[in-house]
Amino acid sequence: MNPPNTVNAPNLPAADLRFRTASEDDVPALVALVESAYRGEASRAGWTTEADLLDGQRTDPEGVAGIIRTPGSLVLVAERDGRPVACCQLERRTSEAGEPVAYFGMFAVRPALQGGGLGRAVLAEAERLVRAGWGAREMHMTVITAREELIAWYERRGYVRTGRRSPFPYGDERFGIPRRPGLEFELLVKPLR
């Protein structure tokens, strides 16, 4: 499914979202949310599915708990009516030039809610949080290069392709089972002003 260029789903304004930092009690719900957005048939209800590229898991309880426990790292949860509807990982890092930057990953929005602005709201809150809380000058992320529609979505939000690529971890099933050869990641960067 292609990403929406216009809002086709019901509008989901950020005003009714509650943002908070995840705790270890959230791990089962977060794993289920991430898996639903990227793997299996259920993920095809949204446009972020990787089901044509990867089988297996996207994450696991140990991986999510590890992010939550790591100093300088957190999982931002967006809730509506007390239920997680989106999440992302944020990690404090330092650039090659020694400046504070943040890494953005594990971004997931419930498939049935994709296309209505929820993802934009979560991304904007993540950028605001790392800029205000950590003094981050840039947001970094890696995206599978075969995900052209997803890269285009990020480009519309100010992210720039760097051409810096890294290989997909073939043989490490913690990140999924590739359905084709040649998968790789590209670093995308956005200055935070």
Side-chain angles (χ1 to χ4, degrees):
M1 183 179 287
N2 289 328
N5 289 320
T6 59
V7 176
N8 295 323
N11 193 4
L12 303 171
D16 67 344
L17 290 178
R18 178 177 167 261
F19 292 97
R20 65 177 177 83
T21 300
S23 71
E24 288 195 53
D25 292 340
D26 294 308
V27 168
L30 294 174
V31 170
L33 173 61
V34 172
E35 292 298 311
S36 75
Y38 291 98
R39 297 290 194 275
E41 286 305 309
S43 70
R44 294 182 190 279
W47 68 271
T48 61
T49 184
E50 294 173 343
D52 293 329
L53 299 174
L54 297 157
D55 288 324
Q57 69 181 32
R58 172 73 188 259
T59 192
D60 57 33
E62 295 78 24
V64 175
I67 293 167
I68 291 170
R69 286 187 210 117
T70 300
S73 182
L74 63 90
V75 176
L76 179 65
V77 179
E79 290 182 332
R80 178 171 282 125
D81 300 324
R83 293 183 51 226
V85 293
C87 68
C88 67
Q89 168 194 4
L90 296 170
E91 182 180 321
R92 190 184 320 213
R93 294 185 177 177
T94 303
S95 73
E96 293 171 359
E99 293 186 334
V101 299
Y103 178 79
F104 177 86
M106 203 175 73
F107 186 28
V109 174
R110 286 200 185 286
L113 300 178
Q114 292 175 14
L118 181 57
R120 282 190 300 274
V122 172
L123 183 60
E125 175 62 12
E127 292 170 354
R128 185 202 66 75
L129 183 70
V130 300
R131 185 176 49 247
W134 295 345
R137 309 280 285 228
E138 294 177 336
M139 185 77 90
H140 293 196
M141 71 175 69
T142 55
V143 180
I144 295 174
T145 57
R147 300 293 319 278
E148 290 293 334
E149 73 285 356
L150 183 58
I151 291 171
W153 188 86
Y154 284 119
E155 287 177 316
R156 290 192 299 274
R157 277 137 198 92
Y159 286 82
V160 177
R161 297 181 82 158
T162 65
R164 293 174 53 188
R165 295 181 179 213
S166 56
F168 185 88
Y170 283 85
D172 189 341
E173 292 187 8
R174 291 177 303 160
F175 303 102
I177 303 167
R179 297 180 62 153
R180 66 185 217 190
L183 294 179
E184 60 185 352
F185 296 102
E186 183 172 358
L187 176 67
L188 305 183
V189 174
K190 178 179 181 178
L192 300 176
R193 291 185 173 81

